[in-house]
Amino acid sequence: MAAAAGGMSSRSSSLLAMVFVAVAVLARAQGERAATFTITNNCAYTVWPGLLSSAGSAPLSTTGFALAPGASQAVPAPSGWSGRMWGRTLCAADGAGAKFSCATGDCGSGDVQCNGGGAAPPATLAEFTLDGSGGLDFFDVSLVDGYNLPMLVTPSATSGSGKCAATGCVAELNGACPADLRVASASSASGPAVACRSACEAFGSAEYCCSGAYGNPNTCRPSAYSEFFKAACPRAYSYAYDDSTSTFTCAAGATDYAITFCPAAPTSVKSSGQNPQAAGLQQLNDTMVYFGGGGGGGGSPQSSGATTTSAYSSIAAAVFSVAAVALAALL
């Protein structure tokens, strides 16, 4: 009897250990996912999102992929993640497929995956810091590095305070871009603008770049150029110290985010403004061909390299099944 009791005790201890391990695995799986970013392309042309983790942040499951018109892809982010996302346009590879590059937002990797490369300006940027101070996520859409396409960031739950709310730049600004900020296609300098530079990039002066003697909010003030962006997109950053109207916060760990390119029907600040690819500019130059593949190994853009929220649901279901079996055995 003593031996039998000892066996039962050992078995019970093992089963309890299984339960504790199962619960720990579930807690870890849930804790590792601070938020899910769902990136959607509502543009009438392919967009190649780029994703960059800040120094010290855990990497995401992908750093770049193709999104066909109407396609979406979910990208989970770990707790404490910070970084930025943007859309690349007019992308192509040479005939041999050796090097991939984009007319706007190029990350310099030579590949669909950005592999740690950031966006070459001008580019519309979405910036995030998850699990920041006060138990909050911080996010914004920035035109400080210029603009290349409309973008909207929408949190899954909004608050009445106005700090957890959608932000972005939904207007088409390329057609209205001031002449000295305008970026044209490499194949047609006289064609429609494909992006709009910031004054800092265009002129490089300390006054526009908020550097040197202008490196603080008292001396760096809005310029006529930044006001152009701010008037069209009042919730987006238009210059470095545009914090008060452009930084948004939501409850950390309880909010997912939708990033949408071309979130509404094309809205031009000027009636003659056109999107570069809608205007038919499908090549960077005469030797480049249009490239439509997904990142890192091919496949459809929707399935190339991202773990979706459903994966975490599967983990949870499996963990609970193990726990249920163990508990039933104990009873």
Side-chain angles (χ1 to χ4, degrees), residues 121-122 145-147 177 180-183 195-199 201-203 229:
D145 287 344
Y147 167 100
C177 184
D180 40 7
L181 304 183
R182 181 179 176 276
V183 177
C196 191
R197 294 187 292 176
S198 68
E201 186 198 358
F203 308 116
F229 292 111

Side-chain angles (χ1 to χ4, degrees), residues 68-326:
S72 295
Q73 180 159 317
V75 181
S79 178
W81 184 82
S82 68
R84 50 178 49 180
M85 304 176 186
W86 66 98
R88 295 170 287 171
T89 67
L90 293 165
C91 300
D94 63 24
K99 185 177 180 181
F100 176 87
S101 61
C102 302
T104 77
D106 189 62
C107 54
S109 66
D111 190 12
V112 174
Q113 295 276 347
C114 283
N115 300 322
T124 312
L125 301 174
E127 302 175 312
F128 294 89
T129 296
L130 304 181
D131 304 291
S133 62
L136 296 172
D137 295 339
F138 292 78
F139 63 100
D140 66 80
V141 169
S142 176
L143 307 181
V144 174
D145 287 344
Y147 167 100
N148 67 330
L149 81 171
M151 179 194 290
L152 182 69
V153 174
T154 307
S156 58
T158 58
S159 69
S161 67
K163 284 299 183 182
C164 184
T167 184
C169 183
V170 301
E172 166 52 59
L173 300 183
N174 290 330
C177 184
D180 40 7
L181 304 183
R182 181 179 176 276
V183 177
S185 167
S187 62
S188 177
S190 61
V194 298
C196 191
R197 294 187 292 176
S198 68
C200 175
E201 186 198 358
F203 308 116
S205 69
E207 179 181 1
Y208 292 130
C209 295
C210 293
S211 59
Y214 296 91
N216 66 78
N218 295 322
T219 56
C220 186
R221 309 302 301 166
S223 68
Y225 294 105
S226 70
E227 291 289 2
F228 160 75
F229 292 111
K230 196 65 175 177
C233 304
R235 290 193 172 191
Y237 265 88
S238 58
Y239 76 108
Y241 295 106
D242 197 8
D243 304 88
S244 62
T245 60
S246 305
T247 299
F248 294 82
T249 57
C250 292
T255 311
D256 293 324
Y257 298 91
I259 296 97
T260 307
F261 301 117
C262 305
T267 302
S268 178
V269 172
K270 189 169 67 174
S271 61
S272 61
Q274 295 182 26
N275 183 281
Q277 288 186 333
L281 301 178
Q282 295 187 339
Q283 294 185 347
L284 292 177
N285 54 50
D286 293 338
T287 63
M288 288 188 170
V289 296
Y290 213 48
F291 188 91
S300 68
Q302 294 94 325
S303 61
S304 57
T307 303
T308 66
T309 305
S310 62
Y312 291 95
S313 300
S314 299
I315 293 172
V319 168
F320 278 123
S321 295
V322 170
V325 170

